[in-house]
Amino acid sequence: MSSIRNIVILTGAGVSAESGIDTFRDANDGRGGLWEQHRVEDVATPEAFARDPDLVLRFYDMRREAIQTKAPNAAHRALAKLDAEWEGELLIVTQNVDDLHERAGAKRVLHMHGEHLNAWCTACDARPRWTGPLIDRPACPECGKAALRPDIVWFGEMPYRMEEIFAALEQADLFVSIGTSGAVYPAAGFVRNARELGIETLELNLEPSQGTAWFDEARHGPATELVPAWVEQVLER
Ligand code: NAD
Ligand code: APR
């Protein structure tokens, strides 16, 4: 642990689960998480948006409103503490579209699937901060056109800032995956990229993910227990 200078952390829905935000595929709770209320094809694809924009806008308006009622948990706070105190390079790459990492105080956060609290203007490409509904087709603050959509990466679209993520991985000594099922690429492949680069890998997840076998070490349990314990360990190294 003492040779660790640069860390890349990948987080998924599991890091926000204990803040009360549905995960997507959680086998544990039997509810199946977010997608059970809506088939993924009905809301999180460009085709769905073209076919039924009102359904998609209403779905994300509901999620955007709900997310603002949630609070960061001990896992978000521990990662923010690490971010503040870690002298080496550190990047929190999140698949999550909530802002709980930032609200806990983390600064070095990269949202590869976009952010619920941004809109994206398909006319002028602006990405204004957006906390209200989009169903009423509000005008883009930049160009005035009613062309705003959720700034969420949908299935079939390219995740954001991949070059930055791979550049950070190439400099990393440690890759830690927290609260993700390893079900969705390219994030699910980062552990293999890390191994090819000779980087130490650690999984912190409620249960074994689909990629568990690729990790040097895997600890299973709730993020609010595992993450604070791991951060203390790293900071005391
Ligand atoms: P992918 O091929 O990397 O893997 C996701 C695939 O899983 C999709 O094709 C999807 O159709 C499939 N899938 C089937 N059932 C699913 C379910 N219940 N929940 C989730 N996925 C299910 O994804 P992609 O097509 O390359 O999409 C590009 C990116 O868009 C992915 O990285 C995905 O994570 C992202 N995305 C983000 C959100 C979000 O709300 N943040 C929503 C959808 C997709
Ligand atoms: N602590 C730690 N891990 C948890 C907890 C918890 N309290 N609760 C659930 N988990 C784990 C589950 O065991 C599961 O492995 O978090 C993981 C959540 O997996 P998913 O629901 O698949 O979420 P995620 O991996 O982030 O999905 C990736 O797929 O649908 C797309 O773009 C969407 O970003 C999402 C991507």
Side-chain angles (χ1 to χ4, degrees), residues 5 19 37 42 51-52 57 71 74 80 90 92 94-95 104 106 108 118 128 139 141-142 144 150 155 167 225 229 237:
R5 284 290 307 153
S19 294
Q37 294 88 29
D42 295 343
R51 183 175 63 241
D52 189 348
L57 290 176
L90 181 133
I92 300 171
T94 187
Q95 300 172 90
R108 297 182 271 188
N118 288 349
E142 294 295 316
F155 291 104
E225 289 171 24
R237 68 194 170 88

Side-chain angles (χ1 to χ4, degrees), residues 24-25 35 40-41 44 60 95 97 113 152-157 159 183-186:
F24 296 93
R25 299 171 195 85
W35 299 109
V40 65
E41 298 74 20
Y60 282 100
Q95 300 172 90
V97 290
H113 290 167
I152 298 278
V153 176
W154 285 329
F155 291 104
E157 293 178 332
V184 171
Y185 287 83

